[in-house]
């Protein structure tokens, strides 16, 4: 019926001569929702929504009835009030409030984005090529299952939704060894719960739990932050004032699928489990068995939760799967895997059989041997070369990277980049793995690339870039003025540029320490909009105003210092000292309101990005660049013009008279100061105080310059995802598996 509804809606819209945007404006229904209706992606239009669409299209009574009928709302009159779906117990339906309608729209949009993201990830992981591995599970045991939860939950991959729905509390713990398929099972659960034919209830969202510190942040606060980080559009304020992410959690419209409980920092497993026991929110938790069992022994089992444990793959599973991944031999019956399978059948307790009990290792073996013509898996049967499970696992992990970056005839055809050799890719991947391992995380956040350096070296690199930029800008401005016979200030342009660059570097060291501290600037989940985020001063706006005043004041004092410092050094006297001091103070007073003005305008024109925007790391990088570059083209001239105008007003008012001085602010000096400060100050702010600036300095320049990353780093990371070495999880890049990261980090060490 949904497809008929979408087709009829499309027909009526075209008859009315309306675009989707125009219909959305008339009906006050999101254009994405209308698009989903017409494409058949939305499965359950509400009666009130259908009624609003019919009114916006000005349909006749009979056409309104047809539209309601095709939407599956039989027996509903077109003049019924906007309602939610009628309960099954026969109670009268309730009218949707504005808040409920807002949350319903947000949940529907989120469901579409989550579904599209994980469907794409399943394709990248080749889970259905030629078919999923037979992941099975059994109940984990009474000691790991709450007393009120079922303990007979055995099943296979296609039964995960029915298994989950048998748990009354909606709380399920999935246990399995490294590489056993926990993440695969979690993704399958999410997609099956979001299947249009069966979708109901809260929206399942996969979130890595390793970053949660329960002693510092409550679970709901942490979850809201992670939702915004993975789905930036949820940062939009709701009608009640809080973010959409927080409201969706509070209203029970989010089912958190928490992946990697075992990856939480040492010593935090017990507090994390205790904190989860303080809430009643339905959730799914994945973990290795030992870490979860230790936490349970120290506290108690997760309240209301059933626990299942993934089973090992068997030789029969391998015999069914591996031959289908390889080309047939000349006989058209035998594949290269047949000798290996016979060896496993003869020796089911061999190290090779034990190594190939997890989907991770089987997947690596498939890439290494099935996807290449010149590799023979029979080499795995050599017990002298591979005497233990660990030696086989290390061989597969090492060979996987080499195989992934081997030149193939169809590389360019399928979109793979051919710029990097196996050796180069391995070196850069080892650096990334070591960097993540040192930070005790599996998430490579592009805005944290500077953390590859310590806090001190990172600050000095930022200061160096800022100082060089300020020097070059001053030389360019004063050089251009000299070319036209105009002299700026009393100091030689070469010396003046060096002095301004040095002071800019010193200022950056101080500012970076005070404003950024030990952390890094978080990513901006914002876009530039003429409507902006509203004109009411928020806490963020007030903070930025204070930063603008402080930065402008300090920058002005430094610039005023540079203006007369050389004269003070060459001709020291009390009069020169007074002139220098007054000049520096006056410069600071000019620049303080200019900085506040720029920071205030930026905060006013920022708005949260759309829900479907900036979902991938590369998209978020581009979005952060646009947030900075666009306003810079307007705000830099505005800042410079404000400086020049204010300085001219002060000069006309003879502001130095109370001090018995005459300000030596000639028009060339004022204009040059405005340009130098606007350009170099803006560049310093971008480089040192924004996530994209940190990315530019470290990931695009410093780390490639020192050989630790390629120059085309985004292309390299995206290419690694296509090759299956890395994967994307919201704004993060991750290695295919934590074991691959640990293996590469060990090789780098």
């Amino acid at each position: 019926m949904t497809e008929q509804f979408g087709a009829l809606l499309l027909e009526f819209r075209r008859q009315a001569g309306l675009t989707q945007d125009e219909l959305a404006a008339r009906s006050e229904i999101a254009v994405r929702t209308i698009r989903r209706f017409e494409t058949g992606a939305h499965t359950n239009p509400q009666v009130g929504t259908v009624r609003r669409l019919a009114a916006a299209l000005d349909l006749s009574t009979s056409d309104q009835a047809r539209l309601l009928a095709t939407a599956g709302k039989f027996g509903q009159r077109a003049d019924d009030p906007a309602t939610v779906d009628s309960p099954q117990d026969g109670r009268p339906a309730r009218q949707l409030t504005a808040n409920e309608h807002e949350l319903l729209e947000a949940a529907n949009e989120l469901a579409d984005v989550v579904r599209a993201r994980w469907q794409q990830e399943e394709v990248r992981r080749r889970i259905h090529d030629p078919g999923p591995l037979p992941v099975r599970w059994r109940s984990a045991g009474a000691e790991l299952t709450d007393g009120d939860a079922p303990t007979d939950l055995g099943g296979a991959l296609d039964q995960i939704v029915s298994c989950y729905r048998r748990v009354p509390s909606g709380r399920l713990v999935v246990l399995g060894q490294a590489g056993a398929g926990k993440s695969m099972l979690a993704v399958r659960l999410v997609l099956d719960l979001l299947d249009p034919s069966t979708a109901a209830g809260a929206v399942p969202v996969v979130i890595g739990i390793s970053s949660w510190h329960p002693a510092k942040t409550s679970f709901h606060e942490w979850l809201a932050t992670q939702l915004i980080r993975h789905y930036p559009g949820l940062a939009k304020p709701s009608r009640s004032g809080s973010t959409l992410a927080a409201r969706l959690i509070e209203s029970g419209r989010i089912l958190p699928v928490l992946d990697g409980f075992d990856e939480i920092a040492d010593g935090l497993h017990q507090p994390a489990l205790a904190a989860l026991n303080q809430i009643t929110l339905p959730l799914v938790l994945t973990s290795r068995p030992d870490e979860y069992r230790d936490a349970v022994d120290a506290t108690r089992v997760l309240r209301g939760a059933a626990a299942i444990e993934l089973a090992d793959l068997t030789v029969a599973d391998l015999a069914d799967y591996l031959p289908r991944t390889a080309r047939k031999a000349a006989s058209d019956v035998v594949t290269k895997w047949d000798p290996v399978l016979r060896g496993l059948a003869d020796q089911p307790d061999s190290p090779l059989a034990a190594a190939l009990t997890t989907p991770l290792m089987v997947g690596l073996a498939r890439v290494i041997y099935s996807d290449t013509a010149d590799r023979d898996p029979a080499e795995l049967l050599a017990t002298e070369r591979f005497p233990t499970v660990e030696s086989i696992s290390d061989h597969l992990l090492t060979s996987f990277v080499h195989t992934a970056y081997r030149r193939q005839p169809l590389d360019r055809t399928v979109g793979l980049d051919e710029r990097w050799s196996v050796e180069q890719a391995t070196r850069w991947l080892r650096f990334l793995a070591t960097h993540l391992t040192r930070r005790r995380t599996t998430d490579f956040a592009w805005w944290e690339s500077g953390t590859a350096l310590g806090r001190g070296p990172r600050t000095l690199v930022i200061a160096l870039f800022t100082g060089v930029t300020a020097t070059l800008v001053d030389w360019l401005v004063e050089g251009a003025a000299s070319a036209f016979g105009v002299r700026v200030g009393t100091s030689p342009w070469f010396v003046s540029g060096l002095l301004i660059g040095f002071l800019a570097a010193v200022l950056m060291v101080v500012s970076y320490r005070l404003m950024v501290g030990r952390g890094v600037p978080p990513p901006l989940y914002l876009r530039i909009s003429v409507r902006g985020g509203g004109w009411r001063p928020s806490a963020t706006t007030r903070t930025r105003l204070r930063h603008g005043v402080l930065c402008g004041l300090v920058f002005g004092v430094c610039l005023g210092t540079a203006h007369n410092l050389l004269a003070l050094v060459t001709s020291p006297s009390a009069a020169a000292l007074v002139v220098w001091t007054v000049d520096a103070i006056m410069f600071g007073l000019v620049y303080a309101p200019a900085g506040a003005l720029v920071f205030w305008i930026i905060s006013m024109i920022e708005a949260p990005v759309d829900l479907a925007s900036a979902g991938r790391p590369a998209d978020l990088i581009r979005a952060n660049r646009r947030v900075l570059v666009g306003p810079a083209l307007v705000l830099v001239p505005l800042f410079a013009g404000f400086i020049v105008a204010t300085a001219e007003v002060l000069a006309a008012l003879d502001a130095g008279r109370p001090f018995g001085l005459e300000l030596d602010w000639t028009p060339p000096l004022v204009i040059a100061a405005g340009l130098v400060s606007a350009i170099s100050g803006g560049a310093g702010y971008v480089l040192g105080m924004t996530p994209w600036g940190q990315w530019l300095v470290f990931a695009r320049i410093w780390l490639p310059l020192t050989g630790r990353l390629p120059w085309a780093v985004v292309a390299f990371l995206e290419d690694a995802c296509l090759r299956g070495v890395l994967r994307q999880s919201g704004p993060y890049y991750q290695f295919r598996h934590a074991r691959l990261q640990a293996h590469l980090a060990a090789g780098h060490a």
Side-chain angles (χ1 to χ4, degrees):
M1 300 303 295
T2 303
E3 291 183 0
Q4 296 178 16
F5 170 75
L8 188 60
L9 177 63
L10 176 62
E11 178 185 341
F12 285 149
R13 179 176 63 79
R14 288 177 174 173
Q15 289 176 358
L18 298 176
T19 65
Q20 290 179 339
D21 290 329
E22 290 169 341
L23 179 57
R26 285 191 180 188
S27 62
E28 296 185 350
I29 295 173
V31 68
R32 285 191 179 86
T33 301
I34 295 173
R35 189 178 300 120
R36 291 199 302 272
F37 285 148
E38 293 187 355
T39 58
H42 199 303
T43 60
N44 189 26
Q46 308 292 333
V47 175
T49 300
V50 179
R51 179 172 175 266
R52 290 164 65 182
L53 289 170
L57 292 167
D58 196 21
L59 298 180
S60 65
T61 303
S62 60
D63 286 341
Q64 292 180 32
R66 285 178 60 198
L67 195 64
L68 280 165
T70 56
K73 312 302 179 183
F74 301 103
Q76 296 283 353
R77 300 191 314 274
D79 58 351
D80 282 349
T83 60
V84 298
D85 289 341
S86 300
Q88 297 297 321
D89 58 8
R91 291 177 299 170
R94 179 175 58 82
Q95 185 175 6
L96 274 175
T97 66
N99 285 338
E100 289 173 330
H101 183 76
E102 177 187 49
L103 292 180
L104 181 63
E105 290 290 327
N108 286 336
E109 287 191 40
L110 177 61
D112 285 348
V113 174
V114 172
R115 184 189 304 113
R117 180 175 296 182
W118 288 111
Q119 284 175 341
Q120 181 184 33
E121 192 61 28
E122 270 200 334
V123 172
R124 285 188 170 185
R125 298 186 191 185
R126 302 173 66 183
I127 289 177
H128 298 286
D129 178 20
L133 280 161
V135 176
R136 294 181 295 271
W137 63 85
R138 57 182 178 272
S139 289
E143 72 277 7
L144 299 179
T145 299
D146 194 43
D148 297 329
T151 57
D152 54 343
L153 294 179
L157 187 63
D158 58 352
Q159 301 170 319
I160 183 59
V161 169
S162 59
C163 170
Y164 173 73
R165 287 177 173 164
R166 288 186 57 197
V167 183
S169 66
R171 309 185 110 194
L172 180 67
V173 178
V174 179
L175 303 175
Q177 298 296 337
K182 299 184 294 297
S183 298
M184 181 195 307
L185 188 66
V187 171
R188 189 69 261 156
L189 173 63
V190 167
L191 289 176
D192 286 351
L193 286 174
L194 292 175
D195 189 301
S197 63
T198 59
V203 180
V205 182
V206 179
I207 300 290
I209 195 176
S210 61
S211 64
W212 182 33
H213 195 304
K216 296 181 179 179
T217 311
S218 70
F219 178 76
H220 284 81
E221 181 182 353
W222 170 83
L223 181 59
T225 302
Q226 294 301 310
L227 283 175
I228 292 172
R229 183 163 287 182
H230 284 77
Y231 305 95
L234 296 180
K236 179 182 177 182
S238 66
R239 288 176 175 269
S240 62
S242 57
T243 63
L244 283 176
R247 289 288 293 120
L248 287 172
I249 296 171
E250 293 166 3
S251 62
R253 297 177 186 269
I254 297 294
L255 171 63
V257 181
L258 307 173
D259 193 21
F261 177 79
D262 53 283
E263 296 172 3
I264 293 179
D266 293 340
L268 296 182
H269 294 97
Q270 298 171 19
L273 186 58
L276 292 177
N277 275 323
Q278 300 302 313
I279 61 175
T280 59
L281 187 71
L283 56 87
V284 178
L285 185 70
T286 74
S287 176
R288 298 184 188 182
D290 292 343
E291 286 80 355
Y292 181 72
R293 184 175 289 106
D294 291 343
V296 168
D297 290 343
T299 53
R300 57 152 293 166
V301 72
L302 183 62
R303 191 185 307 276
I308 60 176
E309 187 167 5
L310 300 182
D312 292 339
L313 297 175
T314 65
V315 174
D317 295 331
L318 302 180
D320 179 64
Y321 177 79
L322 288 174
R324 291 188 291 135
T325 67
R327 301 174 182 174
K328 292 292 194 321
S331 64
D332 205 33
V333 176
V334 179
T335 70
K336 61 171 66 177
W337 285 105
D338 286 64
V340 177
L341 295 172
R342 286 196 298 269
L344 293 177
D346 293 338
Q347 295 181 315
D349 297 327
S350 65
L352 179 58
L356 295 181
T357 56
T358 64
L360 171 63
M361 291 301 159
V362 175
L364 297 182
R366 174 253 177 91
V367 172
I368 297 166
Y369 297 107
S370 293
D371 295 349
T372 57
D374 58 344
R375 296 293 297 272
D376 187 356
E379 66 181 2
L380 297 174
L381 296 171
T383 55
E384 299 83 3
R385 183 180 174 188
F386 304 114
T388 63
V389 173
E390 290 73 20
S391 62
I392 296 174
S393 299
D394 289 342
H395 166 73
L396 293 177
L397 290 166
T398 301
S399 299
F400 168 69
V401 176
H402 286 217
T403 303
Y405 282 92
R406 287 183 61 185
R407 298 286 173 86
Q408 300 290 334
L410 297 180
D411 280 355
R412 189 175 296 275
T413 304
V414 298
L416 298 180
D417 205 313
E418 298 178 334
R419 280 179 281 181
W420 306 293
S421 66
V422 173
E423 293 74 18
Q424 289 175 318
T426 302
R427 183 175 73 251
W428 295 327
L429 290 170
R430 282 176 173 170
F431 166 75
L432 282 177
T434 304
H435 167 59
L436 296 180
T437 301
R438 286 174 178 168
R439 300 203 69 215
R440 302 179 64 85
T441 182
T442 58
D443 299 328
F444 176 63
W446 59 266
W447 61 91
E448 295 178 348
S449 53
T451 56
L453 282 69
R455 183 190 180 197
R458 185 166 72 245
T459 305
L460 292 178
V461 170
I462 291 291
L464 173 63
F465 275 76
T466 303
V468 170
T469 302
T471 296
L472 293 176
V473 170
D474 185 76
W475 283 350
L476 181 62
V477 171
E478 294 202 37
S482 299
F484 290 95
V486 178
R487 182 175 178 81
V488 178
T490 58
S491 305
W493 65 271
F494 184 80
V495 176
S496 176
L498 291 176
L499 184 58
I500 287 178
F502 174 75
L503 291 174
V506 173
L507 175 61
M508 177 52 67
V509 170
V510 176
S511 302
Y512 191 84
R513 292 275 182 161
L514 291 177
M515 297 179 64
V516 178
R518 295 184 179 275
V520 293
L524 304 173
Y525 296 99
L526 301 167
R527 57 188 171 90
I528 300 302
S529 170
V530 292
R531 295 182 179 181
W535 296 94
R536 180 180 298 176
S538 63
T540 302
T541 303
R542 291 191 291 269
T543 300
R544 289 193 175 185
L545 283 173
R546 290 195 295 270
H547 286 167
V549 171
L550 178 61
C551 289
L553 180 65
V554 176
F555 191 88
V557 169
C558 288
L559 198 64
T561 298
H563 178 215
N564 282 305
L565 183 59
L566 190 61
L568 178 64
V569 172
T570 55
S571 303
S573 65
L577 179 62
V578 172
V579 171
W580 170 59
T581 304
V582 172
D583 220 35
I585 294 174
M586 296 302 293
F587 265 87
L589 294 178
V590 170
Y591 277 79
L597 174 66
V598 169
F599 277 59
W600 177 70
I601 292 177
I602 290 177
S603 66
M604 291 299 102
I605 62 177
E606 289 175 345
V609 300
D610 297 330
L611 184 59
S613 301
R616 302 184 307 122
D619 295 336
L620 191 54
I621 292 172
R622 286 191 289 268
N624 273 252
R625 183 179 64 233
R626 287 194 297 268
V627 167
L628 298 171
V629 174
L633 299 177
V634 176
L635 295 176
V636 166
L638 177 64
F639 183 83
F642 185 90
I643 293 297
V644 172
T646 306
E648 289 296 330
V649 169
L650 291 178
L653 294 176
D654 199 9
R657 181 184 301 174
F659 305 97
L661 300 173
E662 181 178 353
L663 296 178
D664 184 22
W665 288 1
T666 61
L669 173 65
V670 172
I671 294 174
L675 288 174
V676 171
S677 57
I679 298 174
S680 60
Y685 173 79
V686 168
L687 295 176
M689 308 298 173
T690 68
W692 183 78
Q694 301 273 293
W695 164 260
L696 176 66
V697 169
F698 294 105
R700 297 305 308 276
I701 300 177
W702 188 260
L703 294 176
L705 192 64
T706 55
R708 286 173 276 187
L709 284 179
W711 289 102
V713 61
V714 175
F716 174 74
L717 295 172
E718 293 290 310
D719 179 68
C721 290
L722 289 177
R723 296 176 187 271
V725 179
L726 299 181
R727 65 187 183 190
Q728 296 176 3
S729 178
Y732 303 108
Y733 291 104
Q734 298 173 337
F735 279 90
R736 178 190 182 107
H737 195 274
R739 285 198 66 180
L740 178 60
Q741 175 184 317
H743 175 79
L744 289 169
H748 187 267

